[in-house]
Amino acid sequence: TDLGAVTADSFFTLTSSAGPVTHASGNISVGGLATVTAGAVGSRTDITMTAGSNNFGSLSLFGKDVRVTEKSATDLSMTTTTGLLTIISSGAITDSAQVQVADSKVTTLTAAGNNITMDTATSTYGGTVILTGSNIALTDNDGATILGASTANGSLRVTTTGTGIGVTQAGILTVSGQLTVTATGKDINLPLNNKLGSISVFGSNVTVKEVDASDLGESTVTTNLSLTSGGAVTDSGVVAVTGVTTINAPTTKPITLDSIASTYNGRINLTALNASLINAGTASKLGDINLNGTGLTGSFTLVSNAAVTQEPLTTLKVPGVLKITAENFLTAVDQTITLGTAANTPANFGSMTLEGAAVSIAEDSASDLGISTITGGLTLTAIGAVTDSGNLLISGGTTNINAGSNDIT
C-alpha cells in the first residue's frame, strides 16, 4: 500500500495484509490515533512514512522495519516491530502504551532540541537504542539495555528492569546534564569515551569511563565501582559502595569525594595528583593509592568513621602529606590506624598527620610526623630516619619507634 496525501480529523486505520506500507509523497494529517499494520502476525512487512510534512495525534504501528517522520510532537501508542524502529520528530517524543522492538533490532529516536520520554514500564527494546534529544528518559523491561551513540543536551535517565545483564553501550554517550542509570541487581558497563555532566548509578558491578572531569551524584553500587576519568573527580551526592571502589584520574588532576554521608565499605583504590575522601562506612580499607607530585600536590586526606587499614598486597604512594582522621562520626571515639604492617604492603609518605586511637605504621622509607593526636599509643617502623615537623600529642599505650641504624630526631 502506497500512501499519498491523507487527512483525518479523528482516527485513521490502515491494514496492509501482505505488502509493505510506503509513502512516496503528500502530507499525512491525523487528529487522533493513526493505526498502521503491515503484514500478518509472524510475517510482518515494512512501514515507511517519511515523505511530506506529517502530523499525527498518536501512532500505533505493527510492522517489520518501521520508519516515521513527524513535523510535530510524536506519541507512540501500542507498537510492535519485528525489525528496526526509527522515529524522527520535530517535537517531543513520548509513549502512551507499550512499545516492543525485537531482539537485536535497533531503535532510533530523534527529537533534536526536544524531550524524549519513553517510560512505559512494560516496553522492551531488544537491540541497540540510539537517542538524540534534550532531556531523555527511557525505561526498558528487556533486562539488557544497549545504548548506542546518544546525545542528550539535558539529562539522560535510563531504567532497566526485567531479567538480563543490565546496561551496556555500543556507542559514545554525550550528556550535558545528569546521567542516571538504574539497573538494580544488574551490572552497568559504560567503558567508552563518554562525555557526561554528572553521574548517578544504581546497580551491582558498575564501570564508567569519561573523557572529561567527572562528578558522582547520588549512587548505590552493591558490588564494585570502577570510574576512569579524563579530569578531576568530585561528588555532589551520597555515594554508597559495598565492594571495591576504583577511581582513576589523570596524574595531573585531583580526586575530591567529600560528601559526609558517603560509604565505601570495600577496598579503596585511587590514582590522581592528590586525593581527599570522607568515608562514613564501617571500615576504611585502603588498597592501591597512587598519588603524584610533592608537598600538597601529592597529598591524601582521609576522614574515616571507622578503623583505617591497608589491604594485603597493595601499595600506598603518597609523596605529599598523608592526613588521616579516624574518629566515629556519632560518638567521637577515636579509631585505629594500621598501615604497611603486613607482608608485601609497601607504604611511602612524604609526611604524616594523624588523629586516631592506636596507630601502627611501617614505612618503606624515611618517616616524618606532622601535627598528630594519638590516644592509643604509636608504633612506627621506618627504613630511614624518623623526624617530626609538628607537635605530637600521644597518650595511652606506648610509643615504639624503630628506625634501624638511622637517626630519630
Side-chain angles (χ1 to χ4, degrees), residues 45 195 216:
T45 54
K195 299 185 71 173
L216 283 171

Side-chain angles (χ1 to χ4, degrees), residues 11-154:
F11 302 104
F12 173 68
T13 300
L14 172 64
T15 300
S16 180
S17 300
V21 174
T22 58
H23 176 213
S25 62
N27 300 330
I28 302 175
S29 178
V30 179
L33 175 65
T35 302
V36 180
T37 303
V41 174
S43 58
R44 294 296 189 197
T45 54
D46 296 345
I47 299 172
T48 306
M49 297 188 296
T50 56
S53 296
N54 304 316
N55 292 279
F56 308 97
S58 59
L59 284 161
S60 187
L61 306 165
F62 302 90
K64 186 182 177 184
D65 291 339
V66 175
R67 299 175 177 87
V68 176
T69 300
E70 185 167 5
K71 296 300 181 182
S72 57
T74 301
D75 178 70
L76 286 175
S77 186
M78 184 71 70
T79 293
T80 301
T81 74
T82 59
L84 61 80
L85 173 64
T86 299
I87 304 293
I88 300 174
S89 178
S90 295
I93 298 176
T94 57
D95 61 356
S96 55
Q98 182 185 79
V99 177
Q100 293 182 305
V101 180
D103 286 348
S104 77
K105 305 303 180 182
V106 177
T107 299
T108 304
L109 304 178
T110 303
N114 297 286
N115 295 340
I116 298 174
T117 307
M118 305 290 287
D119 56 3
T120 296
T122 56
S123 292
T124 56
Y125 303 90
T128 301
V129 182
I130 301 170
L131 305 164
T132 303
S134 183
N135 296 301
I136 300 174
L138 177 77
T139 298
D140 183 10
N141 193 42
D142 181 71
T145 301
I146 305 170
L147 295 172
S150 297
T151 300
N153 291 322

Side-chain angles (χ1 to χ4, degrees), residues 87-356:
I87 304 293
I88 300 174
S89 178
S90 295
I93 298 176
T94 57
D95 61 356
S96 55
Q98 182 185 79
V99 177
Q100 293 182 305
V101 180
D103 286 348
S104 77
K105 305 303 180 182
V106 177
T107 299
T108 304
L109 304 178
T110 303
N114 297 286
N115 295 340
I116 298 174
T117 307
M118 305 290 287
D119 56 3
T120 296
T122 56
S123 292
T124 56
Y125 303 90
T128 301
V129 182
I130 301 170
L131 305 164
T132 303
S134 183
N135 296 301
I136 300 174
L138 177 77
T139 298
D140 183 10
N141 193 42
D142 181 71
T145 301
I146 305 170
L147 295 172
S150 297
T151 300
N153 291 322
S155 61
L156 173 59
R157 177 167 52 87
V158 178
T159 302
T160 297
T161 57
T163 302
I165 62 172
V167 178
T168 59
Q169 69 178 139
I172 291 171
L173 304 181
T174 302
V175 183
S176 62
Q178 182 169 8
L179 170 70
T180 302
V181 181
T182 302
T184 304
K186 305 175 186 63
D187 293 345
I188 299 170
N189 188 24
L190 305 176
L192 302 183
N193 292 329
N194 304 300
K195 299 185 71 173
L196 311 170
S198 61
I199 305 162
S200 286
V201 285
F202 302 88
S204 181
N205 290 291
V206 175
T207 299
V208 178
K209 182 180 179 182
E210 183 171 11
V211 296
D212 294 329
S214 300
D215 178 71
L216 283 171
E218 181 182 355
S219 298
T220 300
V221 178
T222 56
T223 308
N224 301 324
L225 169 65
S226 175
L227 171 63
T228 301
S229 178
V233 178
T234 57
D235 60 0
S236 57
V238 174
V239 179
V241 183
T242 302
V244 177
T245 297
T246 301
I247 299 179
N248 294 317
T251 56
T252 57
K253 300 295 182 181
I255 296 172
T256 306
L257 302 175
D258 55 7
S259 291
I260 195 167
S262 291
T263 55
Y264 304 91
N265 285 322
R267 178 183 297 185
I268 301 167
N269 302 315
L270 304 173
T271 299
L273 174 66
N274 48 266
S276 61
L277 178 77
I278 296 177
N279 185 13
T282 57
S284 288
K285 304 174 182 178
L286 299 183
D288 291 309
I289 308 293
N290 183 18
L291 305 181
N292 294 272
T294 57
L296 295 177
T297 61
S299 63
F300 178 43
T301 300
L302 172 63
V303 178
S304 178
N305 175 64
V308 179
T309 58
Q310 182 178 352
E311 290 288 274
L313 305 177
T314 62
T315 299
L316 302 183
K317 176 194 170 188
V318 182
V321 178
L322 173 73
K323 183 177 181 180
I324 296 179
T325 300
E327 182 182 81
N328 185 274
F329 291 178
L330 294 178
T331 65
V333 173
D334 288 336
Q335 307 295 306
T336 59
I337 301 170
T338 306
L339 304 175
T341 58
N344 301 311
T345 55
N348 293 278
F349 316 114
S351 62
M352 295 177 283
T353 297
L354 307 169
E355 181 179 344

